[in-house]
Structures are given as structure tokens and as C-alpha cells.
Amino acid sequence: MLAVPEPFVAYLRVYEPLSSFDPPVREQLAAAVERGPVDPFDAGLREQHLWLRSQLAAPPRLLPGETADGAAPDIGDVLVLDPAEVPTAEAATVGPAPLVCPLDLRGRSAAALVGFLGNAEIPLRSAVLPVPVETARVRASAVISQLAGGAVHVLSSTWTVPLPWFVLVDPVERCVVSEPGRRRVCWRVAMADARRRVARAHAIGRQSIGEEGPTRILRETGRWLERFHPHSAVELDYGGLVQLMSDSDLDADTSAEDVHAIVDAMEQDDAEEVGLRYEALRDFWSEFAARERHN
């Protein structure tokens, strides 16, 4: 049988100091760390596995990880990061160790379900849900309300990376691993640096192009970051998208540099530079957008 590919998903993650969580979540996270964190190379496959198990159960589960009656499990999977692996600027503080990122798969699935219920046509909702629509809505909303701090620690994007996410990172701090069976592209950044960059880009974008489009994404991302401990770390990870990229693609990828140059050019009212950089981004990511359309 052919191997199932890793989901073509990119991630924006927040790792908070374990000590910043309140009981009993802190104890549950500590137990998860003691059992062993998820390897970041395997995070996408782990999420895929948990979702498939939920759908193959009898009866199928509404959300991954829960029991047949909808009961919540203890916190299961976490990613762990050492503060020493997080570049900092302007004396930003990260830590203390360990920094933990709950995968929050049940909560993220609940949020996606609420969005689906609001947007999908009635026949589609009826075909895919194992329970009545209103039951699904109530259960999903309850799960979202139980999230620690009221926010998921992971945002995800299929087939591409939202360009405003690159604002958060320092372009020169890209980490690339390209080995047989283990390929990864990511950036890490201190929370204080991420918030500062997002606030600047949002202010420039609002003045230059208004509140919609990329500016709205920056506003929402900034609000999301404010939900977490100020000494956290943020990680932008290409995740399963690296399966679609050759080594030459990775060498040619200047997305973070281009996005930062666009922000600077907008601040200086340099429309020509904005156009040139945007064209480079469009050329690089158009291939992946085409793959999404074909699927």
C-alpha cells in the first residue's frame, strides 16, 4: 500500500512556559511532557491519525480524542521547545523552560466545526454529521469555551502560508532541515518580538491599504497573540508543505524577506517596490495554489 502523505498544512504555534498554566491544566501538561512530547516532524501525521481514529470508531466521534458520549480526555499531545532555540531581539525574554504547545486538536476541530456549521449548505451538513446540527453546535461551542486561556495554541493553513504570518519572524533566522525522510522549514521568535512586528505592520497596513485583506489578518493575529503569556515563543512551520518543495524551491524561497520588504516599502510609499515584491511572492506560491485547485 502507498504511504499516506502528511497533510499539506502549515502551522503557526505558540509555546508557553509550563509554569504559566493554572492547575489542573499544568499538571496534565507536565504529565504529557513526562510521557514524551510529539516529535515536530511527526505532528501533522499524529493529528491525521487521531482524526482518522475518531471517524473509524463505532459510532464515529464528533471530535477527535473524545469518548462516544462526548466526554473530554485529559490533555494528550504536546510539543516542547527549549528557550535556547528561540532567537530574540531587543532583549526579549523567553521562558522559563520547558515551553509547551498543546496540540489542542479537539479545540481546533471544534472551532472548525462551528465555522463549517455556519457556512455549509444544509444537505452537506446533514450528510457529514453523526448527530443533529444543533447538538453539534452546542457541543463544539462548549469545547471552545473550555480551552486554556480561551484560545488554541495552533493555527493552521492548508496548501499555503498566509503571507501576513511572515511579518512575525526574522527572515534571517530560518531553520531548514533537509534530510532523507526528515525535512522541515520553520522560524522561532520571542512573543514580545512577534507582537511588536505585528503591531507595526498592522499600523502601516491600515494607513496604506485600509482595514481589510492582509491588515485584517494582522489585526486578528495580533489579538490572538495577546491571549498568551508574554514570555512565550512563536513558531512558523511549513509543516507538510515541504513535501511539495524541492531543495531548489527552498533555496529560491524569499517569502519572509519579501513580506518584510513590502511592509517597509508601504511605510515609505514605494509602490514600485511593493509591486515587485508581491510579484515574486505570487510567482513562488502560485504553484501550490494550483495544486489546491486540482485537489
Side-chain angles (χ1 to χ4, degrees):
M1 294 180 63
L2 294 175
V4 177
E6 183 179 351
F8 301 119
V9 179
Y11 304 96
L12 191 63
R13 304 186 179 104
V14 171
Y15 294 75
E16 292 190 273
L18 177 59
S19 58
S20 69
F21 290 87
D22 295 327
V25 174
R26 184 192 306 162
E27 287 71 20
Q28 294 177 12
L29 286 169
V33 173
E34 183 67 22
R35 289 193 301 268
V38 175
D39 187 328
F41 286 91
D42 300 330
L45 288 173
R46 174 61 177 166
E47 293 184 357
Q48 183 183 65
H49 172 72
L50 291 173
W51 182 85
L52 288 172
R53 285 181 58 184
S54 72
Q55 300 308 297
L56 295 174
R61 308 298 189 246
L62 181 64
L63 299 170
E66 67 183 10
T67 61
D69 61 1
D74 286 342
I75 293 175
D77 294 320
V78 298
L79 296 167
V80 175
L81 187 62
D82 188 329
E85 300 178 74
V86 184
T88 59
E90 298 188 4
T93 299
V94 178
L99 300 172
V100 297
C101 175
L103 290 186
D104 289 334
L105 184 57
R106 184 167 176 262
R108 289 159 55 202
S109 298
L113 178 57
V114 169
F116 170 78
L117 294 176
N119 297 321
E121 299 293 335
I122 293 176
L124 179 59
R125 293 187 308 196
S126 301
V128 302
L129 289 175
V131 298
V133 170
E134 193 54 36
T135 300
R137 194 189 312 276
V138 170
R139 284 173 54 180
S141 298
V143 169
I144 295 172
S145 68
Q146 296 166 4
L147 288 169
V152 296
H153 286 73
V154 184
L155 303 181
S156 57
S157 174
T158 55
W159 294 102
T160 189
V161 178
L163 296 180
W165 286 6
F166 288 107
V167 164
L168 281 66
V169 304
D170 183 342
V172 302
E173 297 292 351
R174 186 176 73 156
C175 176
V176 179
V177 177
S178 184
E179 303 171 355
R182 290 176 70 85
R183 302 178 77 240
R184 191 178 186 216
V185 175
C186 68
W187 288 261
R188 281 104 177 224
V189 56
M191 176 62 77
D193 295 331
R195 289 176 178 173
R196 171 176 51 80
R197 290 169 181 151
V198 166
R200 172 178 177 261
H202 176 254
I204 293 171
R206 183 175 56 190
Q207 183 172 359
S208 178
I209 61 176
E211 283 285 4
E212 297 305 313
T215 309
R216 177 180 57 80
I217 296 176
L218 287 168
R219 181 179 70 250
E220 294 172 352
T221 303
R223 289 175 177 172
W224 177 67
L225 294 176
E226 291 292 337
R227 307 297 291 271
F228 303 103
H229 194 277
H231 296 166
S232 302
V234 183
E235 179 179 71
L236 172 56
D237 186 351
Y238 277 13
L241 295 186
V242 294
Q243 299 169 106
L244 306 174
M245 298 179 178
S246 65
D247 288 343
S248 59
D249 288 331
L250 297 182
D251 290 340
D253 179 17
T254 58
S255 299
E257 291 90 337
D258 291 331
V259 169
H260 279 257
I262 285 175
V263 174
D264 292 340
M266 289 170 62
E267 186 177 36
Q268 299 164 11
D269 293 325
D270 187 345
E272 182 178 358
E273 178 69 6
V274 170
L276 290 173
R277 294 287 185 163
Y278 180 75
E279 183 176 355
L281 288 164
R282 183 187 59 195
D283 290 344
F284 181 80
W285 289 103
S286 61
E287 176 185 351
F288 308 108
R291 288 173 184 259
E292 179 180 14
R293 288 194 298 271
H294 294 157
N295 281 272

